[in-house]
Amino acid sequence: MTTGNSPGNSSGLAFPVLDEHLSARLQVRLAEVEKALSGHVRSRAGFVTEAASHLMEAGGKRFRPLLVLLAAETGQHPDVEDVITAACVVELTHLASLYHDDVMDEAELRRGSASANARWDNHVAILTGDFLFSKSSELTAELGPDAVRIQAQTFTSLVEGQILETLEPGPDEDPLEHYLDVVAGKTGSLIATSARYGAIFGGATPEVQQALTTYGEMVGVAFQLSDDILDVASEAGVSGKTPGTDLREGVPTLPVLIARGTARPEDSRLVELLDGDLTDDALHAEALGLLRAHPAIDQARDYVIARAAEAKAALAAVPEGPVRTALEEFADLVAVRAT
């Protein structure tokens, strides 16, 4: 199991790749993706190019295209141009969703820079997201009808997840299950497609394609849920974000939902705080302290560790070697982040 200081991470890749040859190869291929992305966000109108390039140039881990490239290494022809195109498809889809997310969340910052809606306005941000979705669709059409079908299904799941996030669970619906559906749609679906595209266009067997799709969905959900735990449990500066941000904004996350669902009589003060306005610094600090001491944190960690283990188990059909090891290392990293 590796840590953030592992040799695999020194390459700047989004997750550990310990094999030096594979790591170097992925870095070269990822540079090709980056160059291609710069061309794909260009428009005949300079303003559109500027707006569409805004978040891409702000950085990002490029985790999804990296997963496409890595999954392609399980096939017979990982070097084909379709793999690069598929990597661009998933990253453009992801970027487009961020523009729309920021409008829905009224966010002012994204990746340390002003969000598009803050820099310009909501109309520009929404239309820029639409532009990127359309560019992603154009590229998907180049990959053939099966890719178009997969992309359409993925887009449906992603949008459904975004819509569900804005809705309260029904009276007979488990809030935790509702939230897990949101995460599976918003995060898990596109990461699953990233792994699936890589396997398909790299020429992997159907068994490996299915294994990587399952892995992608599981590890993607686990990664998002580990972020939920970091929001509560990490100290300032450790996770790269202010502790308790989601808590302050009233966002229901895994530890909060577990705490609510398993509340004991002695948790009445915590429940009262969670039901109230936590924009006040003193109340926010009190709620954060009580939540950190609650068994829900350990239960949330156990849940993420179990999902990461399931993701690794899904890789049984993937041949042993550097690629499978890198995928397993990423699942381990997700589990480590949660502890």
Side-chain angles (χ1 to χ4, degrees):
M1 186 177 296
T2 62
T3 66
N5 295 321
S6 69
N9 272 358
S10 64
S11 65
L13 296 176
F15 50 79
V17 178
L18 300 184
D19 183 88
E20 292 184 3
H21 175 73
L22 178 60
S23 177
R25 177 177 167 79
L26 290 172
Q27 289 176 65
V28 170
R29 296 287 276 165
L30 199 57
E32 294 178 36
V33 173
E34 201 72 34
K35 181 179 179 179
L37 283 170
S38 296
H40 293 317
V41 299
R42 297 193 65 80
S43 164
R44 290 174 297 173
F47 176 76
V48 176
T49 300
E50 180 186 4
S53 303
H54 178 63
L55 287 186
M56 192 180 74
E57 292 175 352
K61 298 176 181 177
R62 304 288 189 259
F63 162 58
R64 290 158 189 81
L66 176 59
L67 186 55
V68 173
L69 299 177
L70 182 59
E73 295 289 332
T74 64
Q76 298 300 310
H77 41 78
D79 289 327
V80 297
E81 188 62 27
D82 281 352
V83 171
I84 299 295
T85 301
C88 290
V89 165
V90 297
E91 186 65 6
L92 289 172
T93 302
H94 172 59
L95 286 170
S97 72
L98 297 184
Y99 281 83
H100 289 179
D101 267 355
D102 286 346
V103 172
M104 293 174 66
D105 297 341
E106 299 180 350
E108 296 184 358
L109 292 174
R110 169 69 71 174
R111 296 175 174 172
S113 301
S115 62
N117 47 297
R119 179 170 176 177
W120 292 289
D121 58 34
N122 283 348
H123 292 94
V124 170
I126 291 170
L127 290 172
T128 301
D130 292 345
F131 172 76
L132 291 171
F133 276 129
S134 69
K135 296 298 289 186
S136 177
S137 296
E138 285 183 17
L139 289 176
T140 306
E142 296 179 11
L143 297 173
D146 285 345
V148 171
R149 174 180 52 81
I150 293 168
Q151 177 71 355
Q153 292 170 341
T154 304
F155 192 36
T156 297
S157 295
L158 193 156
V159 173
E160 283 181 341
Q162 289 180 315
I163 293 172
L164 284 175
E165 188 177 37
T166 69
L167 302 175
E168 294 288 337
D172 299 323
E173 189 176 4
D174 181 354
L176 179 56
E177 289 301 318
H178 176 89
Y179 177 64
L180 293 175
D181 283 344
V182 169
V183 174
K186 282 195 62 177
T187 305
S189 62
L190 187 56
I191 292 176
T193 295
S194 301
R196 186 179 184 183
Y197 272 167
I200 290 173
F201 296 110
T205 65
E207 292 77 15
V208 170
Q209 291 177 28
Q210 182 56 56
L212 287 171
T213 303
T214 302
Y215 166 87
E217 181 169 4
M218 288 180 173
V219 82
V221 168
F223 190 81
Q224 176 58 55
L225 296 179
S226 68
D227 265 1
D228 289 358
I229 298 169
L230 285 173
D231 181 69
V232 173
S234 67
E235 297 298 333
V238 174
S239 66
K241 61 187 286 190
T242 303
T245 298
D246 291 335
L247 188 65
R248 186 185 294 276
E249 296 175 354
V251 177
T253 58
L254 184 63
V256 169
L257 290 167
I258 292 177
R260 284 184 179 278
T262 60
R264 308 158 297 180
E266 59 265 38
D267 297 327
S268 58
R269 176 56 177 165
L270 174 58
V271 173
E272 178 186 357
L273 289 167
L274 293 176
D275 287 340
D277 183 356
L278 293 178
T279 56
D280 178 83
D281 288 345
L283 294 178
H284 176 263
E286 183 183 0
L288 190 60
L290 289 172
L291 191 56
R292 284 175 170 174
H294 195 278
I297 291 294
D298 285 337
Q299 293 173 36
R301 285 173 173 145
D302 290 342
Y303 186 88
V304 171
I305 291 169
R307 298 293 79 74
E310 288 177 358
K312 289 176 65 175
L315 295 171
V318 178
E320 293 187 4
V323 175
R324 177 168 165 177
T325 297
L327 293 166
E328 290 173 338
E329 287 286 332
F330 178 62
D332 284 341
L333 178 63
V334 170
V336 168
R337 290 174 82 242
T339 58

